[in-house]
Amino acid sequence: MRLFVALGLPEAFADEVAALSRCLSAVCEGRFVRPGNHHLTLAFLGEVGEAEARRAMDALDAACAGAGPVELVAEGLGTFGRGRDATLWLGVEKNPGLAALAERLREELLARGLCFDEKPFLPHVTIARRARLPQAALEGLAFPLPDEARAVTLYRSFLDPGGARYKPLYTVELG
């Protein structure tokens, strides 16, 4: 199974991300993430078996124990990569609550012998892959208003020719 752990976006924030994505798709080419698939990844585990998935659920319980809702504040657009392979994303402020939750999760995963992508945590919501951005500046974009994420979910990812599909396997409420 291909797994990752992510913050679920609150409905209003997710709707505003989808609206931003629609605006960007009018001026940018690329494979845009389907509405409803936007999330903020805390840890990408990759391919794991059933036993590892159960340990990931235990890590999620431990990491979220006593944690309250996490503030989400949009910070602007950014990209990974260049040219035709750029990934376009909406940055999210790395506030103390969000950073602490990501760090606790990663510590709990390691304590249970689980591997994950160990790149430094850069909170973002992917908007499009293989994005080709216009040379002109993007102006007048409306970014999501601050909100609070109240759940962390372990997702299974299915890669299809039309884009990824995500199935929630286990969710822990914050607060």
Side-chain angles (χ1 to χ4, degrees):
M1 292 182 273
R2 187 172 188 260
L3 303 182
F4 66 93
V5 178
L7 278 177
L9 302 181
E11 187 176 346
F13 196 90
D15 289 347
E16 292 172 18
V17 170
L20 174 63
S21 181
R22 282 191 301 276
C23 289
L24 288 166
S25 70
V27 295
C28 301
E29 294 180 39
R31 286 190 1 223
F32 282 78
V33 174
R34 295 178 214 164
N37 271 3
H38 295 111
H39 60 273
L40 192 153
T41 301
L42 298 172
F44 179 77
L45 282 68
E47 291 293 331
V48 301
E50 295 274 338
E52 290 87 358
R54 285 191 295 278
R55 290 200 315 265
M57 292 175 196
D58 292 341
L60 193 56
D61 283 334
C64 296
V70 176
E71 186 177 25
L72 300 176
V73 179
E75 281 197 322
L77 299 173
T79 58
F80 296 128
R82 296 177 189 236
R84 295 186 173 270
D85 289 325
T87 297
L88 175 63
W89 46 262
L90 171 67
V92 175
E93 177 183 278
K94 189 176 180 179
N95 60 59
L98 178 55
L101 179 61
E103 185 174 328
R104 278 195 313 272
L105 174 65
R106 289 165 176 231
E107 288 170 356
E108 294 294 343
L109 290 168
L110 286 173
R112 287 160 178 77
L114 294 167
C115 296
F116 55 88
D117 184 346
E118 293 190 37
K119 290 178 191 154
F121 177 58
L122 176 66
H124 67 279
V125 177
T126 299
I127 301 290
R129 291 180 178 80
R130 303 192 144 233
R132 289 169 293 289
L133 305 175
Q135 298 289 30
L138 299 172
E139 297 178 13
L141 296 172
F143 292 101
L145 296 173
D147 208 335
E148 288 185 334
R150 297 181 174 273
V152 180
T153 299
L154 176 66
Y155 287 95
R156 182 170 182 186
S157 174
F158 300 89
L159 300 178
D160 294 329
R165 290 182 299 112
Y166 307 128
K167 177 182 178 184
L169 298 179
Y170 186 72
T171 299
V172 176
E173 298 295 322
L174 298 172

